[in-house]
Amino acid sequence: MDKIINIAGQDLRDMFSAATSWLEKSSADIDALNVFPVPDGDTGTNMMLTMRSTMEEAYRAPDHSASGVAHAMAKGALMGARGNSGVILSQIWRGLAQRLEGKELFNAVELADALQSSATIAYKGVSNPVEGTMLTVMKDAAREAKNQVEQGQDDIITVLEATVNAAGDSVARTPRLLKVLKDAGVVDAGGQGL
């Protein structure tokens, strides 16, 4: 497989469309994990509905640049945010859009910077951030993307694979960081959704 050095807006949209499809298939399982901050069993549903709104706006974007698609996603997420997890997702997409501002395409370094921005803005968007949640998972994933580019990796697919693996490892650690998860014997629902 050839290296992929740049991602365009349509590619960004297609990647998140595929992710949204996986989230839709997994939403009931994610709902079943939901014990924090309130055990109301709706995190997967809230994330799915937020991502549907995100993607509807992304497909309506008149500007198909990376910047245009990212800004449309951020707008769609904000307008359709459901529950705490949806609000946090909207902050993540806001951070992504801010760092991709004005970009037709983006590379691995710019992706890592955008993910760092997403994590920072998501943390700032929560009045009392708690470790062991989707915030931690986003931070850990962004850190791995940054590590990859600092090691000279420029293939976006390789960076994304390492980022996803780091997110999975982070989700697995959430019960060690948040007692309510450990007591319930589950990982963080929002982190799993992310």
Side-chain angles (χ1 to χ4, degrees):
M1 178 184 226
D2 293 333
K3 273 186 173 183
I4 297 180
I5 304 300
N6 291 301
I7 296 279
Q10 183 175 344
D11 299 320
L12 177 67
R13 186 189 67 211
D14 291 348
M15 286 172 21
F16 280 100
S17 179
T20 300
S21 293
W22 276 106
L23 183 59
E24 288 176 352
K25 292 174 187 172
S26 304
S27 65
D29 293 334
I30 295 166
D31 284 344
L33 298 172
N34 184 202
V35 297
F36 182 85
V38 177
D40 50 10
D42 63 359
T43 297
T45 300
N46 287 339
M47 292 178 82
M48 177 190 61
L49 293 172
T50 301
M51 285 307 297
R52 280 184 183 165
S53 178
T54 299
M55 296 316 302
E56 286 169 8
E57 196 65 33
Y59 278 101
R60 283 195 293 264
D63 176 358
H64 297 275
S65 68
S67 176
V69 170
H71 279 281
M73 288 173 54
K75 177 183 176 189
L78 177 63
M79 300 309 289
R82 303 288 194 282
N84 293 332
S85 57
V87 170
I88 293 170
L89 274 178
S90 76
Q91 295 302 305
I92 289 170
W93 305 149
R94 183 174 148 230
L96 189 78
Q98 285 181 359
R99 292 302 290 182
L100 297 180
E101 179 69 41
K103 297 191 183 308
E104 187 69 31
L105 308 164
F106 61 94
N107 62 29
V109 171
E110 293 162 329
L111 171 64
D113 288 344
L115 294 174
Q116 287 287 140
S117 176
S118 294
T120 300
I121 288 175
Y123 267 89
K124 288 180 181 176
V126 175
S127 60
N128 185 24
V130 174
E131 294 302 325
T133 65
M134 67 189 288
L135 294 170
T136 306
V137 174
M138 185 65 220
K139 176 181 66 177
D140 291 346
R143 182 182 303 124
E144 181 57 29
K146 196 71 160 173
N147 288 342
Q148 289 290 313
V149 298
E150 286 173 354
Q151 293 171 21
Q153 185 57 256
D154 63 353
D155 177 27
I156 289 184
I157 299 303
T158 301
V159 172
L160 284 171
E161 286 174 348
T163 301
V164 168
N165 289 336
D169 292 344
S170 182
V171 169
R173 287 190 303 272
T174 59
R176 288 188 258 156
L177 299 172
L178 196 53
K179 185 177 183 321
V180 67
L181 299 176
K182 183 177 182 179
D183 291 348
V186 297
V187 297
D188 181 64
Q192 182 67 35
L194 186 64

